[in-house]
Amino acid sequence: MTPTRFCIVRHGETDWNAEKRLQGQIDIALNAAGQAQAMAIRAHLKKAPAFAAVYSSDLARAWHTAEIATADMELAVLPTPTFRERHYGTHQGLTSAEAAHAHPAMYRLHQARDLHYAYDSGESLAAFAARIQDGLGALAEQHRGQAVLIFTHGGVLDIIYRLATQRPLDTPRDFPIPNAAINWLNHSNAGWLITLWGDQTHLKQTLDELL
């Protein structure tokens, strides 16, 4: 079986990323650095293999990254709410320090990566992981043997990395998920395999030329 190849890209930087403020499903636009990063992705993807389809979270920061990065492709970007960031409920819009002060008991559950904690009005880690796993599995079935491009968020990539490496959801993150980084995974009968993770080599060279 020819593996299905997934190129999965985190959106460019926003002001809230720079402030380390939890965005969740609040719609925050790319800042100037994020737009430049999207241009760098665009230059890099010119050298990538042909994709069968392009999917993106419909949140503005991912969608705008996708629009810029795929401007040279003859493919429409397909809005895919399945790949939205996790909904962090009461914690959305807060920094870690603000969340710890405003909701100390909830913040401890957040830090512990409690599987069933849903931030009062948000989404539990277990439900979020199931959403991403089901969505990715559906695309793997739909695009067998093809290459697929996805634009998404840091929390989504956290779940994808754990799915591919069979790492438990409730253990601390010890792997990078940089803005505008490129990640490649294969899917076959043997399951998921990461072939490249957190690649930022396209950013420095192209950003030096753009800025």
Side-chain angles (χ1 to χ4, degrees), residues 29-154:
L30 296 178
N31 60 21
Q35 293 179 43
Q37 289 170 340
M39 289 294 296
I41 297 168
R42 175 178 173 178
H44 178 78
L45 290 178
K46 288 181 181 180
K47 300 174 285 186
F51 294 103
V54 182
Y55 297 90
S56 177
S57 159
D58 57 351
L59 295 176
R61 56 195 185 271
W63 185 258
H64 193 195
T65 302
E67 285 187 316
I68 294 171
T70 63
D72 298 318
M73 297 183 186
E74 296 182 358
L75 288 172
V77 181
L78 303 173
T80 314
T82 298
F83 296 114
R84 285 180 182 176
E85 182 59 280
R86 181 181 177 188
H87 195 305
Y88 288 99
T90 54
H91 280 39
Q92 293 190 157
L94 303 178
T95 65
S96 290
E98 290 167 350
H101 177 74
H103 310 286
M106 295 182 186
Y107 183 70
R108 285 192 290 273
L109 293 172
H110 168 79
Q111 290 295 91
R113 296 183 63 90
D114 184 281
L115 293 178
H116 305 292
Y117 169 46
Y119 306 87
D120 283 350
S121 55
E123 184 176 23
S124 73
L125 184 55
F128 176 49
R131 165 162 66 89
I132 301 310
Q133 184 169 347
D134 290 349
L136 209 59
L139 290 187
E141 181 68 22
Q142 180 180 345
H143 293 286
R144 285 188 179 185
Q146 298 177 323
V148 179
L149 178 59
I150 300 173
F151 292 85
T152 189
H153 306 269

